[in-house]
Amino acid sequence: MIFYTCAKLQLITKMKTLSELAKKHKTDKYTHKYLGKNYLDFYSDWMSKKRFEVTKFLEIGVRGGASLRMWKDFFPNAFIYGIDIDPTCKSHEEDRVKIFIGSQNNKEFLEQVMQEVGEVDMILDDGSHIVKHMIFSFNVLFNSVKKEGLYIIEDLRTTYEECQNQHDVRNIWPGMKYNDPEENLKNRRNDFNLFIQKHFENLDKGVKTPLESVHYYPSTVIFKKSNYE
C-alpha cells in the first residue's frame, strides 16, 4: 500500500488527469473509444497510483510525439523513451524525451536500446500493430521491465485479418514504408492467440515465470511483471 503526505496529496489533486493531458496534447489514445471507454480509462487505474514512482517509460510508436508529451506531463519524475522506425520521429526529442530510430522487429536494435536505457517501469507497444512484431518485441523486451512493472499492447483489433489485411499498410500508415519491403506484414490472429494462450497455460499450471498476471481490456492487454527473485 502506498501512503502519501498531505503535501503530496494536495499536489496530486492539482495535477491534470491522464485524460486531461491527452486532450491537451491531442493524442488519439483519448479519442478511440470501446464500449464507452478509451485506453486511458483503463491505464489510469494502473498508473495513477505509481505516478511519482515511475522513472522510465518506453513507448513503441512515436508518430507525431503527442503521447510521449502526455506521458512526460503525467509522470513528472520519469524519463520518456520512444522507439520508431521512421527517422523523422527523431525531431520530437525534447527535455526528458529521447527517441531511438529502428525496427521493433530487430533484436540487435532492441537490445542496444535497453542496454542504454536499462530497466523500465512500463513499456507500451503502439507500434506497427503487426502480430509478429508485437510478439517479437514482447519476447525481447519483457525481461527489461522492472519487478511489478507493466507491458501493454494496444490496438488489438488490428490483429484480425478482416481489419488489417484488406489494405496495404505500407500505403495507409505513415512510417510503415520504412519496414523491409520483402517482409510480409499480413496479420494472423491465430499467432497472437497462441502467444496469449501459452502465458495463460503457465499461469494455470503455476509455472514460475517473470509474468505475474495478464489483464485483458477492449483492444488492449496488460501484462504485469512478477516480483520473483
Side-chain angles (χ1 to χ4, degrees):
M1 184 177 293
I2 298 174
F3 296 95
Y4 291 124
T5 63
C6 290
K8 183 166 281 190
L9 284 172
Q10 290 176 348
L11 177 60
I12 292 174
T13 58
K14 292 180 180 179
M15 296 178 72
K16 291 184 181 296
T17 66
L18 195 50
S19 291
E20 289 172 335
L21 291 174
K23 290 181 185 178
K24 171 186 174 182
H25 294 291
K26 297 181 173 59
T27 169
D28 61 6
K29 284 179 172 44
Y30 178 80
T31 56
H32 288 174
K33 292 191 176 184
Y34 306 92
L35 303 178
K37 292 188 175 182
N38 59 53
Y39 293 141
L40 305 181
D41 293 321
F42 312 134
Y43 299 165
S44 290
D45 293 337
W46 288 92
M47 298 178 178
S48 295
K49 57 188 176 183
K50 294 186 175 183
R51 189 166 188 176
F52 293 93
E53 283 69 40
V54 171
T55 59
K56 294 180 183 179
F57 186 102
L58 170 65
E59 181 164 19
I60 302 172
V62 173
R63 203 171 180 179
S67 61
L68 295 185
R69 291 186 284 273
M70 175 188 70
W71 298 125
K72 175 184 172 180
D73 278 358
F74 186 74
F75 295 116
N77 300 318
F79 208 99
I80 311 300
Y81 299 95
I83 287 176
D84 205 289
I85 198 170
D86 184 348
T88 64
C89 290
K90 191 72 172 176
S91 64
H92 298 294
E93 282 192 335
E94 57 184 63
D95 178 49
R96 285 202 295 122
V97 176
K98 181 175 178 61
I99 296 167
F100 298 92
I101 303 301
S103 172
Q104 71 175 109
N105 197 40
N106 184 309
K107 186 173 187 289
E108 182 180 0
F109 165 71
L110 294 179
E111 289 178 341
Q112 287 175 347
V113 170
M114 300 320 298
Q115 185 175 4
E116 178 174 340
V117 172
E119 285 191 322
V120 295
D121 298 273
M122 301 177 186
I123 295 178
L124 193 157
D125 185 349
D126 186 21
S128 71
H129 304 320
I130 303 300
V131 168
K132 60 184 177 182
H133 292 178
M134 295 175 180
I135 297 172
F136 184 89
S137 299
F138 178 92
N139 289 337
V140 175
L141 297 176
F142 189 64
N143 283 338
S144 295
V145 176
K146 294 179 182 178
K147 293 178 181 179
E148 300 187 337
L150 306 178
Y151 193 108
I152 304 169
I153 303 178
E154 278 186 2
D155 293 329
L156 296 182
R157 67 190 182 282
T158 64
T159 62
Y160 294 90
E161 288 88 339
E162 63 270 23
C163 298
Q164 176 78 354
N165 293 348
Q166 61 182 329
H167 55 247
D168 184 349
V169 294
R170 287 185 173 86
N171 294 326
I172 299 297
W173 294 354
M176 293 298 288
K177 63 185 178 182
Y178 294 102
N179 282 277
D180 184 346
E182 302 300 320
E183 184 181 7
N184 182 350
L185 299 182
K186 297 298 183 182
N187 270 352
R188 299 289 182 263
R189 176 67 188 198
N190 188 57
D191 294 338
F192 192 83
N193 290 342
L194 292 173
F195 163 71
I196 287 288
Q197 182 59 39
K198 182 60 179 177
H199 292 297
F200 288 162
E201 181 180 341
N202 287 337
L203 290 171
D204 287 339
K205 294 180 178 179
V207 177
K208 189 175 181 180
T209 72
L211 180 66
E212 177 183 282
S213 56
V214 180
H215 305 264
Y216 226 95
Y217 298 89
S219 206
T220 307
V221 62
I222 299 177
F223 300 87
K224 183 180 179 183
K225 186 79 171 281
S226 73
N227 62 358
Y228 297 140
E229 295 294 336

